[in-house]
Amino acid sequence: RTMLTTSKSWWWLVVALCLVLAVFTLTRVDDTHLQQIETLGGEGLDVREEDSTGRGMGSVESESVGAVVAGDVTNALNIATAEKSLAVLVPFHAKSQLVQTVSFLERLLQDTACDDLPSKPTLYLFAEDEAGVKEARPALDGIDSSACFQAVELASAKLTPQQDRYPQGATAVFYAGFEWLFGKADYTMLLEPDVVAIQKGWLYELFNIIAIHEHLIGDNEGFWMLGSVPRTASVNTDLPLSHRLHINGNALYNTHSASFHRFLFECKQGQHMGDRATFQKSPHGNAYDVDLATCLYSKANYATVQHNMHRFIHSPFIQNLWRHKWNQEELLKDSPRTFLVHGGTKVDVLSGEELVMKGDAV
């Protein structure tokens, strides 16, 4: 009986020790989990709300593991953004657009918020020939852009008189400008003088766009082109798909990818056109943005495109409203993440008919 009593005592002692050990282990796990959350979250996570300019409005306190993950991704994107270089290219025709270009630059600088940019881009102004540069320099030198751009460079495409006609001249200027800028910046935003900024944070938003889409794609190549298809009701639907759904030339371009550079200049030389080559030889052809879309939608180039189509991004950041009347308030109501508009006519009030057209187009 004594041995039985002793055995029972030991049994209860073992059970008690196991319970104590279990409680201690659970407490340690919970403490470790909390320490990990504190390490990731800190005192306040940079999970930023966004205002109409696309810029952050401060940090918020961490409340969940989900917030920690969001903050971690945000920090990663902020780091990626700071590492990317950006340029802005403004091609213009000095003989016919100098006054418009000066007005465009002055208005653009007034409509741009440049505080707290990850880095200041370089502004590249690109005329048709050296005579155009000589004519434009005095007027352009008088514009102070130092608040938004680290430097301004003025050069030309060196077109011959035979090349200096539309649309061939604009296409030649584009390819010469791309060649000039290749390797100088990771990404380049091309803006013609008929682009209007409708939100002051457009330049800051470009850095966000670069970081987010590079994160989503997930490789060192990044995206190749980001912009807008024609978003008006006046598009001729009898034209080929490459015309109806081309990304307009006022777009954000990858200027560090050797693969995109090669593809772009093969398109310039007429390669990959396949069944669309006949269209490009017509009066409708020879526009560089349609040339590029012709390459994309040609079955002769499908093997390459199917692995890279995700690098061509249709974005509301800029809207191509060529030959279209638009109202800023109505546009932002429908598309709050639009920052730039290309072409068209800005009006204070849209008529009922124009509102219907706008709805059909968007």
Side-chain angles (χ1 to χ4, degrees):
R1 182 178 296 177
T2 302
M3 292 181 61
L4 181 60
T5 302
T6 304
S7 176
K8 287 182 178 180
S9 299
W10 277 105
W11 168 252
W12 285 112
L13 181 61
V14 170
V15 170
L17 287 174
C18 287
L19 288 172
V20 170
L21 181 61
V23 171
F24 177 78
T25 301
L26 289 172
T27 302
R28 289 291 298 164
V29 169
D30 191 54
D31 289 343
T32 302
H33 188 204
L34 289 173
Q35 288 174 3
Q36 290 173 345
I37 291 177
E38 290 173 358
T39 300
L40 285 172
E43 295 180 356
L45 291 172
D46 190 21
V47 182
R48 300 181 296 177
E49 298 178 359
E50 294 186 351
D51 59 10
S52 60
T53 66
R55 300 182 54 185
M57 297 172 61
S59 61
V60 296
E61 295 299 324
S62 58
E63 296 180 354
S64 66
V65 176
V68 173
V69 174
D72 196 37
V73 171
T74 301
N75 290 333
L77 291 179
N78 287 341
I79 293 171
T81 299
E83 293 176 347
K84 295 299 175 181
S85 57
L86 176 66
V88 175
L89 173 65
V90 178
F92 67 100
H93 194 265
K95 297 181 185 68
S96 62
Q97 288 184 314
L98 182 55
V99 174
Q100 180 186 359
T101 303
V102 171
S103 176
F104 159 74
L105 290 171
E106 291 175 342
R107 185 178 65 250
L108 187 71
L109 291 168
Q110 290 175 357
D111 293 340
T112 303
C114 300
D115 296 336
D116 302 323
L117 291 173
S119 61
K120 287 186 179 181
T122 297
L123 176 62
Y124 295 94
L125 307 174
F126 205 51
E128 71 277 17
D129 55 26
E130 289 303 303
V133 169
K134 185 176 180 180
E135 182 180 354
R137 190 176 295 280
L140 297 175
D141 282 348
I143 299 175
D144 182 11
S145 60
S146 59
C148 299
F149 298 97
Q150 62 174 321
V152 180
E153 294 189 27
L154 175 62
S156 87
K158 299 181 173 61
L159 297 187
T160 65
Q162 292 74 27
Q163 292 175 314
D164 191 11
R165 54 196 177 97
Y166 186 84
Q168 292 86 347
T171 295
V173 167
F174 168 78
Y175 284 111
F178 193 94
E179 191 74 359
W180 179 43
L181 286 182
F182 183 73
K184 291 187 176 183
D186 292 310
Y187 291 91
T188 298
M189 185 72 207
L190 188 151
L191 299 177
E192 294 173 344
D194 59 345
V195 170
V196 177
I198 63 172
Q199 296 198 62
K200 288 182 175 292
W202 69 270
L203 194 52
Y204 193 95
E205 182 73 355
L206 280 174
F207 286 98
N208 290 337
I209 285 173
I210 290 169
I212 289 169
H213 285 290
E214 284 209 335
H215 173 75
L216 291 173
I217 290 175
D219 59 25
N220 294 327
E221 188 72 13
F223 62 93
W224 287 358
M225 187 177 179
L226 180 146
S228 172
V229 300
R231 298 188 65 168
T232 68
S234 59
V235 174
N236 184 351
T237 55
D238 291 330
L239 292 174
L241 188 65
S242 55
H243 188 284
R244 288 179 280 137
L245 290 181
H246 73 282
I247 298 179
N248 178 260
N250 291 272
L252 180 60
Y253 296 87
N254 185 321
T255 44
H256 76 269
S257 165
S259 297
F260 180 50
H261 182 276
R262 181 173 60 253
F263 179 79
L264 191 65
F265 280 83
E266 286 176 352
C267 288
K268 175 193 175 186
Q269 296 162 9
Q271 300 180 40
H272 309 305
M273 293 296 185
D275 55 334
R276 298 299 184 195
T278 302
F279 170 73
Q280 285 308 104
K281 293 176 182 177
S282 74
H284 298 289
N286 297 314
Y288 66 89
D289 47 8
V290 179
D291 281 347
L292 184 54
T294 300
C295 284
L296 290 177
Y297 291 115
S298 171
K299 62 184 180 182
N301 195 37
Y302 181 71
T304 298
V305 171
Q306 70 177 142
H307 296 293
N308 291 290
M309 196 65 178
H310 62 290
R311 303 188 194 278
F312 293 88
I313 300 170
H314 296 176
S315 171
F317 170 76
I318 183 170
Q319 286 199 32
N320 177 24
L321 297 178
W322 186 59
R323 294 183 179 177
H324 186 69
K325 291 181 180 180
W326 54 275
N327 172 268
Q328 180 169 323
E329 183 179 350
E330 291 290 336
L331 191 153
L332 287 174
K333 185 186 300 182
D334 290 340
S335 183
R337 303 307 296 172
T338 294
F339 287 76
L340 302 173
V341 174
H342 167 244
T345 303
K346 181 180 178 181
V347 296
D348 293 331
V349 179
L350 291 176
S351 68
E353 181 181 354
E354 288 163 346
L355 282 170
V356 171
M357 287 178 59
K358 176 185 72 65
D360 291 342
V362 176

